[in-house]
Amino acid sequence: MILAGGLDDFSLPDILQLLMQQRKSGVLRLSRNREKAEIFISQGNVTGVRVGNKTPETKIQDMLVESGRIERKDFLQMRELSESMNRSLMATLSAKGYFSEEEKESWLSTAAEDMVCDLFAWTDGEYAFDAQQKATPGAPLHISTDFACMEGMRRIDEWGRLKEILPHEEMVFKPTGRPLESEVTGYEQWVLEILDGEKNLLKLEKELPFGSFRLYEILAQLWNSGHILAEDAPLPGNETKLPVSVQSEKDQKTALLLGTAALIFLMTLLFRFAAMSFLATDGAGDYSAVIHQRLQAENVEIFVVDFAARRDRLPEDLLEMEKEKILTREELKKRGGRYFVYEKYETGEFTIK
């Protein structure tokens, strides 16, 4: 099977889907500028990945050293020991108790998943599939191609939003002390535990077994839920300060509605003042009556909008506005004593006549 070409013509998800359908085994090589990567395939599914000189194993090893779980000198001794015994460094580290087998499997799977999904951002460059090479670096992993494709595409869509929330790698966070909910994952707990108000995003990523996307997503969730705060830090190239916290979506909506209500109230006062001024200068005549009625209607409309903003629904009828003491009975009447007619529609709109 000869499979080679440009990623701008045949995307990575398309290539992986084809290899899965054909149940192919081999190595998919990717290149972009000076970057190189390899995805190892067995029977159509991903069993390993290498990006540059990094593999899931080296990611875990670097994490152990950067996080202080193992001293660098001890790490070098473990590597020499592994080479002398002709066995993998990961096996030696596990045997020495630096992590359990369960932790190793979980970390390697997560690191590999993140490395593969990051490659979906490669929309240009070259690819070539080699069916002759079957070896997988390190212990073989098992990542569903379907899952990798769906997750990789999801991350491409989400990256923009996350970069708006966390705009640069020098951001620093600290915990607020708010208790964690029961549904918090182990990785969220891990991230929260290593936040100290000093480590930036680059440093945090080196101390964790996963990539930048997962880290950004976890931080955004913890920030949004009020479990962490961003320390004041200047954005690169200027002295703009970062916000101390990110409001939840609900808080943002509440603030917007209250702001809208305040604006509506101010507009109402202006309308009433305009109506009184106009009628004081020209209270007689049909034209004056029409203007007065129109101002009255606009006044009612403004308070209906205010009601909807605060209650997240339109009033059932104008009597509800009176019962809630939002408008008086006289304010709901036109000249001549007849009530305004209020109609609401399924589209969320309404009219006052």
Side-chain angles (χ1 to χ4, degrees):
M1 178 183 184
I2 299 174
L3 186 62
L7 289 169
D8 51 349
D9 293 325
F10 202 34
S11 69
L12 181 56
D14 293 333
I15 299 167
L16 290 177
Q17 289 285 347
L18 178 61
L19 295 175
M20 182 187 68
Q21 292 169 5
Q22 298 289 325
R23 298 184 62 80
K24 293 295 181 181
S25 299
V27 179
L28 177 63
R29 294 190 173 88
L30 309 175
S31 61
R32 183 180 65 170
N33 299 325
R34 296 185 178 182
E35 299 175 285
K36 295 186 182 299
E38 294 176 313
I39 300 178
F40 296 82
I41 310 291
S42 177
Q43 297 295 302
N45 286 313
V46 177
T47 57
V49 58
R50 179 188 287 122
V51 181
N53 60 354
K54 291 289 185 182
T55 64
E57 286 81 2
T58 60
K59 167 67 176 172
I60 302 307
Q61 293 160 17
D62 291 344
M63 178 268 290
L64 293 172
V65 175
E66 292 290 338
S67 63
R69 289 183 176 233
I70 180 173
E71 296 292 331
R72 190 170 294 277
K73 60 181 181 61
D74 295 332
F75 175 79
L76 295 175
Q77 290 177 355
M78 293 297 101
R79 189 165 66 184
E80 290 178 2
L81 178 61
S82 298
E83 291 172 353
S84 67
M85 298 177 65
N86 195 28
R87 73 173 180 178
S88 74
L89 176 55
M90 292 296 287
T92 301
L93 292 171
S94 177
K96 291 294 183 178
Y98 288 104
F99 47 75
S100 66
E101 281 297 312
E102 182 180 358
E103 286 177 320
K104 182 181 77 170
E105 294 301 320
S106 175
W107 294 349
L108 288 175
S109 176
T110 300
E113 180 185 307
D114 285 4
M115 290 174 72
V116 171
C117 288
D118 285 347
L119 292 174
F120 281 75
W122 291 27
T123 55
D124 59 350
E126 305 294 323
Y127 69 88
F129 180 69
D130 182 359
Q132 302 302 314
Q133 185 177 342
K134 302 290 197 300
T136 298
L141 303 167
H142 301 283
I143 300 175
S144 162
T145 298
D146 273 337
F147 171 79
C149 289
M150 288 188 293
E151 179 65 11
M153 297 305 294
R154 181 187 76 85
R155 294 187 182 195
I156 290 175
D157 293 337
E158 283 288 300
W159 252 126
R161 181 184 67 85
L162 292 176
K163 288 294 181 67
E164 288 180 1
I165 298 173
L166 309 173
H168 66 92
E169 298 169 330
E170 296 303 319
M171 292 185 72
V172 175
F173 292 91
K174 65 179 180 181
T176 62
R178 180 176 179 175
L180 289 170
E181 292 79 7
S182 57
E183 62 268 18
V184 169
T185 67
Y187 282 150
E188 288 176 327
Q189 176 75 50
W190 190 345
V191 169
L192 198 58
E193 287 175 355
I194 66 174
L195 292 177
D196 58 3
E198 296 181 2
K199 297 169 185 171
N200 61 25
L201 301 188
L202 284 173
K203 176 63 175 172
L204 289 175
E205 186 177 344
K206 292 178 180 178
E207 295 189 14
L208 296 162
F210 41 80
S212 54
F213 178 89
R214 195 182 299 257
L215 172 61
Y216 278 44
E217 192 169 48
I218 289 174
L219 286 173
Q221 290 168 353
L222 291 173
W223 197 5
N224 194 52
S225 61
H227 289 95
I228 62 176
L229 288 177
E231 292 282 74
D232 286 345
L235 293 169
N238 60 54
E239 297 303 319
T240 303
K241 297 294 182 180
L242 291 171
V244 210
S245 66
V246 169
Q247 290 180 306
S248 68
E249 188 175 321
K250 182 178 179 181
D251 291 338
Q252 291 176 359
K253 182 178 179 181
T254 301
L256 179 62
L257 292 179
L258 290 176
T260 302
L263 180 60
I264 288 170
F265 181 72
L266 179 60
M267 290 173 63
T268 303
L269 292 178
L270 291 174
F271 272 119
R272 285 182 170 177
F273 179 77
M276 291 172 63
S277 299
F278 183 88
L279 293 171
T281 58
D282 187 11
D286 294 338
Y287 187 67
S288 175
V290 170
I291 293 295
H292 182 271
Q293 185 167 304
R294 183 61 248 164
L295 289 171
Q296 278 188 296
E298 288 176 350
N299 181 54
V300 175
E301 288 173 359
I302 287 169
F303 276 96
V304 170
V305 172
D306 179 39
F307 181 99
R310 292 178 180 275
R311 311 292 177 83
D312 202 23
R313 67 175 179 83
L314 287 170
E316 293 301 321
D317 49 42
L318 293 182
L319 289 178
E320 186 175 3
M321 304 285 288
E322 182 186 351
K323 290 176 183 176
E324 296 288 340
K325 300 184 188 275
I326 296 171
L327 289 170
T328 66
R329 182 176 294 264
E330 291 305 313
E331 286 174 316
L332 294 174
K333 289 181 180 180
K334 307 178 187 178
R335 272 192 172 187
R338 302 180 69 180
Y339 284 98
F340 285 103
V341 176
Y342 163 74
E343 294 182 3
K344 66 173 184 176
Y345 309 104
E346 293 183 356
T347 59
E349 299 175 339
F350 68 93
T351 57
I352 302 290
K353 298 186 285 187

